[in-house]
Amino acid sequence: MASDFYTVQEVKDIGFKAIGKNIKISRSCIFFNPHLISMGDNVRIDANCVISANHELVIFGSYVHIGVGCYINGSFGVELKDFCGLSSGVRLFTSSDDYSGEFMTNPTGPSELTNPHNSSVVISKYVNIGSNSVILPGVTIGEGSVVGSLSLVNKTIKSWGVYFGSPVIRLSDRKKNVINLSKKIHDS
């Protein structure tokens, strides 16, 4: 019986730009342009995730977790830094159509009739994004912040906060103990 996760050799055979140690990827994941995707150590990508790279790199640091059913449109660059995670169902976009009505809004028409907003997304260290949240192009989530489930992140948010809502608002500060906890991992 085959494992739910690819073997080390199968991960290498996918053709990623770079991979670290202890990579666990569900066999049901789909990668577009894996040669533009790199991963540090201890990355886990759970079932039914779709990760797409196109014009820019998609970079996962170390100790990154991508939960079940996440979609990452990384066409214009994504970086998930160390010790961060996306809970199940998170949608992350680096491109979005112009919905003003002045332009066409899907990829089936000529590109000169569209006006997409294309911009990279950065998820900083110690960040966790709650289930079924949506991250829009151009967003940076500051170090240590967390985003509650079902939230819409349509703007850059500051470090060490607890955010929630559609669109997100800062509810409170977040404690920084995770920094000390991560040092214990490196020391072991």
Side-chain angles (χ1 to χ4, degrees):
M1 181 173 167
S3 168
D4 292 339
F5 292 96
Y6 287 117
T7 66
V8 171
Q9 186 58 52
E10 288 171 329
V11 169
K12 289 178 182 177
D13 291 344
I14 292 171
F16 293 112
K17 179 176 179 59
I19 53 171
K21 300 177 293 196
N22 194 28
I23 305 296
K24 293 184 77 171
I25 299 174
S26 171
R27 292 179 180 278
S28 63
C29 292
I30 298 171
F31 297 94
F32 293 98
N33 297 311
H35 66 283
L36 295 173
I37 300 170
S38 67
M39 298 177 201
D41 297 333
N42 302 297
V43 173
R44 178 174 155 174
I45 304 174
D46 290 340
N48 302 315
C49 291
V50 176
I51 300 171
S52 175
N54 194 3
H55 305 287
E56 300 291 334
L57 295 176
V58 171
I59 302 168
F60 299 140
S62 294
Y63 297 95
V64 171
H65 176 238
I66 310 297
V68 171
C70 288
Y71 172 68
I72 298 174
N73 169 333
S75 294
F76 294 93
V78 168
E79 185 172 6
L80 276 71
K81 296 188 178 187
D82 296 349
F83 299 103
C84 73
L86 305 181
S87 298
S88 62
V90 168
R91 305 292 185 253
L92 188 156
F93 298 94
T94 61
S95 182
S96 179
D97 284 321
D98 179 332
Y99 294 102
S100 67
E102 294 184 41
F103 300 93
M104 299 299 292
T105 59
N106 69 56
T108 61
S111 63
E112 63 270 9
L113 302 179
T114 65
N115 185 37
H117 172 62
N118 303 321
S119 189
S120 65
V121 169
V122 176
I123 309 295
S124 301
K125 286 176 78 169
Y126 309 113
V127 167
N128 196 314
I129 309 298
S131 295
N132 295 309
S133 291
V134 175
I135 313 298
L136 294 182
V139 164
T140 294
I141 297 180
E143 180 175 294
S145 284
V146 293
V147 174
S149 296
L150 299 169
S151 292
L152 172 66
V153 185
N154 62 348
K155 62 187 176 211
T156 291
I157 59 178
K158 294 182 179 178
S159 297
W160 298 104
V162 176
Y163 292 83
F164 177 76
S166 183
V168 292
I169 58 170
R170 187 180 179 109
L171 299 178
S172 67
D173 291 341
R174 182 178 183 218
K175 295 183 182 200
K176 298 181 181 179
N177 194 46
V178 295
I179 295 171
N180 294 328
L181 294 172
S182 71
K183 289 177 183 174
K184 290 181 179 185
I185 293 172
H186 288 300
D187 294 341
S188 59

